[in-house]
Amino acid sequence: MKTDYKKTADIFKAFCDENRIMILHLLFDGEKCACRLLEAMNITQPTLSHHMKILVESGVVNGRKEGKWMYYSLSKSGLEKAKKYIDYFINEGK
């Protein structure tokens, strides 16, 4: 497996914060508006924006703008890529 270390680090960075893990859980049942994510969490809008930037840049979450609102959903391909890296690390040790 050819490894882009920066991209790999970005993917794992997405999972290294309890707020980002909570966001991922909130997105399990489908796309959510940023306003709904804010309602469910005890964080400010700038903090949410920071976390969403990391999640979207990692490829684990998709973001789309509709009017003045941002909508977010899990990226199946991004999550598959994270799974492949974990599988690679597990299987390389054998």
Side-chain angles (χ1 to χ4, degrees):
M1 170 185 258
K2 184 177 178 187
T3 303
D4 178 338
Y5 297 113
K6 170 73 170 114
K7 194 170 264 317
T8 304
D10 288 345
I11 289 170
F12 286 105
K13 181 179 179 180
F15 296 95
C16 291
D17 181 272
E18 64 188 272
N19 286 314
R20 291 193 287 274
I21 297 297
M22 179 186 267
I23 291 166
L24 294 173
H25 278 271
L26 290 168
L27 296 175
F28 277 162
D29 62 349
E31 183 179 71
K32 299 263 186 319
C33 175
C35 59
R36 297 290 173 238
L37 295 172
L38 276 172
E39 288 173 0
M41 303 178 73
N42 189 27
I43 60 175
T44 64
Q45 189 280 323
T47 300
L48 178 65
S49 291
H50 167 75
H51 290 304
M52 297 317 297
K53 181 177 189 273
I54 291 168
L55 288 166
V56 170
E57 287 180 352
S58 75
V60 173
V61 169
N62 295 315
R64 69 175 182 87
K65 190 170 177 109
E66 186 174 308
K68 66 177 184 169
W69 300 107
M70 282 299 294
Y71 290 83
Y72 298 100
S73 61
L74 293 175
S75 168
K76 184 172 174 100
S77 64
L79 293 169
E80 282 292 328
K81 189 175 278 189
K83 182 183 179 298
K84 283 181 185 177
Y85 282 121
I86 290 172
D87 289 343
Y88 172 76
F89 293 133
I90 289 169
N91 293 322
E92 281 298 302
K94 293 184 179 185

